[in-house]
Amino acid sequence: MGWKQQPLKRAYACNRETLIYLRERRGWTQRQLAEKAGYTDRLIGKAESGGSIAVETLADIADALTTPEHPVYPEDLICDPVSLAKKYIAAQYEQPGRVVEHVRHFLDDDVVLHVVGDASAIPFAGEHRGVDAMQRGFAIFYSVIEVPANHDHRPWYRFLCQGNEVVVWGQSWMHPIGQPMEQPMNLVQRLRFQRGKLVRVEVVFDTLEGSRLLNGDS
């Protein structure tokens, strides 16, 4: 399928974890992938070691790994989804009110933010399509939720990557404005990337507990 935009460099380092995952998803050995892509198994080994690979070769490897259900693009092979997911989560704590601006460089123009819940009880719930809609969603979120002062969020989150998807398990101490919590809220966020861009975020939490906290119910 080739590169969406002309690459700035002649070669890029592969994300070894992503490439191994995509190869094993096809049930292939390194040699089988090499045969399908038209290269030596030595080159595939280099790619899976994080070596620098020519852009034309990356496109051929991506084409070999592509299926109708799971297209693979050369940008996917050099993207680091976990690193981007960590930046996305960090922005929510370190840049409240400027989350979208802070991560705009890796947001797809048609990014979707889906937050579970009933918007009549949880005002930021629903599906926010596009960058502007995501920005409005975060504006609503921070109009009712605040980040605890001097809070280090990092110990409270874990990241699991499978190909272009990252599942983030967290315990959030963010709370309704002026109402600190005694216990954190369990939270799962699923981030999907394509061509090195974030295309979808799904946020899941206990909506009954969230509604109770937002409405000040005891």
Side-chain angles (χ1 to χ4, degrees):
M1 296 183 185
W3 298 81
K4 185 173 183 179
Q5 295 181 340
Q6 183 66 28
L8 299 177
K9 299 192 296 184
R10 295 181 179 180
Y12 291 89
C14 269
N15 183 325
R16 62 181 305 274
E17 289 83 6
T18 297
L19 180 53
I20 292 170
Y21 171 83
L22 293 173
R23 173 176 61 77
E24 291 181 344
R25 186 173 69 182
R26 296 299 303 268
W28 291 345
T29 64
Q30 287 187 352
R31 175 160 296 180
Q32 287 173 312
L33 173 56
E35 291 173 352
K36 297 289 185 180
Y39 295 94
T40 65
D41 50 351
R42 181 179 179 181
L43 183 139
I44 299 301
K46 176 183 177 182
E48 290 192 359
S49 296
S52 185
I53 305 297
V55 295
E56 297 85 359
T57 304
L58 288 169
D60 291 336
I61 295 173
D63 282 345
L65 291 166
T66 288
T67 67
E69 299 80 15
H70 301 289
V72 179
Y73 303 93
E75 294 93 337
D76 298 330
L77 302 180
I78 64 173
C79 177
D80 185 351
V82 171
S83 176
L84 297 180
K86 288 181 178 180
K87 290 178 180 178
Y88 176 77
I89 297 298
Q92 296 176 35
Y93 285 87
E94 299 168 5
Q95 301 289 332
R98 300 179 64 243
V99 175
V100 173
E101 178 184 348
H102 195 68
V103 301
R104 181 64 181 90
H105 61 289
F106 63 81
L107 292 181
D108 186 83
D109 290 343
D110 298 318
V111 63
V112 175
L113 170 63
H114 179 81
V115 182
V116 297
D118 183 347
S120 65
I122 301 172
F124 46 85
E127 190 153 286
H128 311 277
R129 291 182 170 271
V131 173
D132 290 342
M134 175 183 264
Q135 193 160 14
R136 289 192 295 272
F138 273 112
I140 296 170
F141 178 79
Y142 289 110
S143 72
V144 294
I145 299 293
E146 65 180 350
V147 179
N150 304 315
H151 176 67
D152 184 1
H153 70 279
R154 291 172 296 179
W156 299 91
Y157 285 87
R158 293 183 296 143
F159 298 78
L160 174 65
C161 183
Q162 290 189 322
N164 285 329
E165 293 192 351
V166 181
V167 177
V168 185
W169 285 277
Q171 289 186 299
S172 174
W173 286 93
M174 291 188 187
H175 56 77
I177 294 174
Q179 302 176 49
M181 299 186 300
E182 295 183 359
Q183 297 293 332
M185 170 79 72
N186 291 323
L187 185 73
V188 176
Q189 299 191 56
R190 182 180 179 185
L191 284 67
R192 181 158 59 87
F193 295 85
Q194 189 174 79
R195 290 190 182 271
K197 300 288 187 178
L198 180 59
V199 296
R200 185 175 180 85
V201 182
E202 297 176 4
V203 185
V204 179
F205 58 93
D206 185 338
T207 55
L208 291 177
E209 178 66 8
S211 177
R212 183 188 69 80
L213 291 169
L214 283 169
N215 289 282
D217 297 332
S218 58

